[in-house]
Amino acid sequence: NAGVTQTPKFRILKIGQSMTLQCTQDMNHNYMYWYRQDPGMGLKLIYYSVGAGITDKGEVPNGYNVSRSTTEDFPLRLELAAPSQTSVYFCASSTGAGDRVYYQPQHFGDGTRLSIL
Amino acid sequence: GNSVTQMEGPVTLSEEAFLTINCTYTATGYPSLFWYVQYPGEGLQLLLKATKADDKGSNKGFEATYRKETTSFHLEKGSVQVSDSAVYFCALSAGGSYIPTFGRGTSLIVHP
């Protein structure tokens, strides 16, 4: 199993450019999440999805958009890149069924390191 | 609101030393508590969990006990190895959304 796969691993953008961070999982998980991790900080939730067609905002959604057209894919879109969006982005998934612990992020991708210059 | 406070790092130990990483929390209701580990260049991995007071989570030699009276969930390991060098995150989830709140992480460096 591949688990959670994120692409690209690294990217440099200019201010004002747009891009999509890709995330796909092959575990048929209902819940998917996008987090950002800034140096010395914990993870901040950007958006999450509880199933295909359903998304919701997390703590820091401004400047980002998501869609969930299939169970497998959960892309994150940056429309107008700003230096404050320089960060490492992690996609995660969980089953979202049964005991409540299975609603927590259980599988993470290896991250996308994004720099905005 | 919910919050998690972890001890500042880095924590530097020699191989086979005893490890404690402190974690305290504030939460509404009865949270579930988690420890995640992040190895260099990788995403986080769920290490262990506890869902009610006095529960002990354990995995790979690591343990943590859910202490409601002190609102703590300290991570311990009796004998660390170089391969345990990583960043450790304490997290909790509470309320209807189940979305966890993460601490800032504590870096552990183990020397041979």
Side-chain angles (χ1 to χ4, degrees):
Chain A
N1 278 346
V4 177
T5 303
Q6 290 183 239
T7 56
K9 293 190 184 303
F10 305 95
R11 185 73 184 268
I12 298 173
L13 284 181
K14 295 182 180 179
I15 295 171
Q17 287 185 318
S18 300
M19 79 163 293
T20 299
L21 280 65
Q22 302 292 344
C23 175
T24 187
Q25 52 93 7
D26 61 358
M27 297 169 285
N28 201 34
H29 282 175
N30 293 317
Y31 275 41
M32 295 186 75
Y33 315 79
W34 274 106
Y35 288 91
R36 60 178 287 172
Q37 182 181 31
D38 299 320
M41 305 295 291
L43 275 70
K44 298 293 185 184
L45 182 65
I46 305 171
Y47 272 94
Y48 68 101
S49 168
V50 301
I54 306 170
T55 62
D56 208 348
K57 296 178 180 178
E59 303 170 80
V60 290
N62 292 344
Y64 306 94
N65 279 299
V66 293
S67 60
R68 184 95 182 269
S69 57
T70 66
T71 299
E72 295 78 19
D73 300 310
F74 190 41
L76 177 71
R77 177 95 179 148
L78 281 72
E79 290 295 347
L80 291 171
S84 61
Q85 294 176 304
T86 294
S87 189
V88 181
Y89 291 84
F90 288 100
C91 180
S93 72
S94 62
T95 57
D99 188 274
R100 64 175 174 163
V101 298
Y102 296 109
Y103 292 79
Q104 317 311 318
Q106 296 167 305
H107 300 270
F108 280 78
D110 288 341
T112 295
R113 188 175 298 275
L114 181 62
S115 295
I116 315 294
L117 304 177
Chain B
N2 300 331
S3 68
V4 174
T5 302
Q6 290 182 238
M7 60 189 292
E8 293 276 341
V11 173
T12 304
L13 295 172
S14 297
E15 207 165 22
E16 299 183 2
F18 185 87
L19 169 70
T20 300
I21 299 178
N22 291 338
C23 171
T24 57
Y25 67 89
T26 58
T28 54
Y30 301 96
S32 295
L33 301 171
F34 308 87
W35 277 101
Y36 289 82
V37 58
Q38 183 180 29
Y39 298 104
E42 298 183 10
L44 279 70
Q45 301 175 27
L46 180 60
L47 180 60
L48 54 83
K49 62 185 183 295
T51 59
K52 60 184 187 296
D54 299 325
D55 266 3
K56 178 184 285 188
S58 62
N59 187 24
K60 299 181 180 180
F62 292 90
E63 294 183 338
T65 301
Y66 186 161
R67 302 287 188 198
K68 184 181 175 184
E69 64 276 12
T70 55
T71 62
S72 65
F73 192 55
H74 305 322
L75 183 68
E76 297 181 335
K77 187 176 185 183
S79 176
V80 294
Q81 306 299 312
V82 172
S83 57
D84 293 327
S85 298
V87 180
Y88 292 83
F89 291 89
C90 185
L92 70 83
S93 72
S97 70
Y98 304 132
I99 304 301
T101 299
F102 286 86
R104 293 190 172 192
T106 302
S107 175
L108 170 65
I109 301 170
V110 181
H111 294 294

